[in-house]
Each structure stands twice: as structure tokens, then as C-alpha cells.
Amino acid sequence: QVQLVESGGGLVQPGGSLRLSCAASGFAFSTHSVYWYRQAPGKERELIATLTSDGGTTNYLASIEGRFTISRDNAKNTAYLQMNNLQFEDTAVYYCNARFMAGPLVLPSWGPGTRVTVSS
């Protein structure tokens, strides 16, 4: 069974940091690109970061570039999102997903994600 389980969210003050994890199982994680999404209250889910299977290429939403870093440990079947200098507008539920080359996302429906709340 294909699974991606996000963790690491929480309540943080503006300027703080969190590291999210995405634990994968049930598929060949090391051959898949990884994607982090988020959905803020009242907004559509948006793609915020991508990382190729070999970890060589990343892409970021402009509003997080320079503050967030996507990474992966293929030996642990886990992807990460290091989030620094968090701002109020980063408050959202964060999700991960994966894709093999140009194929479909491995999770066709979204799980609970992990909630990040930035508040003073």
C-alpha cells in the first residue's frame, strides 16, 4: 500500500523554524520526484517545492524561496522541508506527494497533512 505520512508541524512564532518530514512506503521512493504542497485557510492547495529523485534539482514557489529547503534521504525513504523565518502567511496544512517521471502523483487523494500555525 502506497503511503506518504507527513509530520513535524506545530505552532511557531514569526521568524521561527520547523522541519517537516514525509515518510514514504509501498513504492520505490528513490526513483520518484517529491513535491510539497500547502493549503492555507480559505485558499486552494498550492505546490511550493519540488525535488528530483536524485536530489539534484529543486524548484520553489517564489514566496518561500530562500526560506524553505526541500531535501530527501533515499536510504530512509523520507523527504524533508526545512522552513526558516516563518511568516504568518505560511500558516497552512502541508502535504507531500511523489511522482515517477511524468506519471501521476502516487497519492490520488490527500491525507491529513501536517498543520503549521505561525502566530505570536
Side-chain angles (χ1 to χ4, degrees):
Q1 180 183 0
V2 172
Q3 285 191 311
L4 289 163
V5 180
E6 304 93 345
S7 62
L11 174 64
V12 63
Q13 293 185 336
S17 297
L18 284 173
R19 188 176 81 153
L20 307 184
S21 297
C22 169
S25 60
F27 67 100
F29 176 76
S30 64
T31 65
H32 287 59
S33 295
V34 173
Y35 303 82
W36 280 99
Y37 296 78
R38 69 183 181 188
Q39 187 167 19
K43 295 189 176 181
E44 296 290 317
R45 184 177 292 112
E46 62 180 351
L47 176 62
I48 63 170
T50 67
L51 177 63
T52 52
S53 58
D54 63 356
T57 302
T58 58
N59 284 287
Y60 296 96
L61 187 68
S63 61
I64 69 164
E65 191 152 19
R67 300 188 296 123
F68 291 14
T69 303
I70 187 172
S71 63
R72 65 193 297 158
D73 185 339
N74 286 340
K76 295 182 178 180
N77 285 347
T78 301
Y80 304 96
L81 187 67
Q82 177 67 43
M83 306 188 297
N84 298 328
N85 190 22
L86 282 158
Q87 305 298 313
F88 293 121
E89 55 266 30
D90 297 318
T91 294
V93 179
Y94 286 72
Y95 305 87
C96 63
N97 216 317
R99 184 197 310 266
F100 177 70
M101 299 187 74
L105 293 171
V106 298
L107 288 183
S109 59
W110 301 93
T114 187
R115 183 174 300 275
V116 173
T117 302
V118 183
S119 176
S120 55

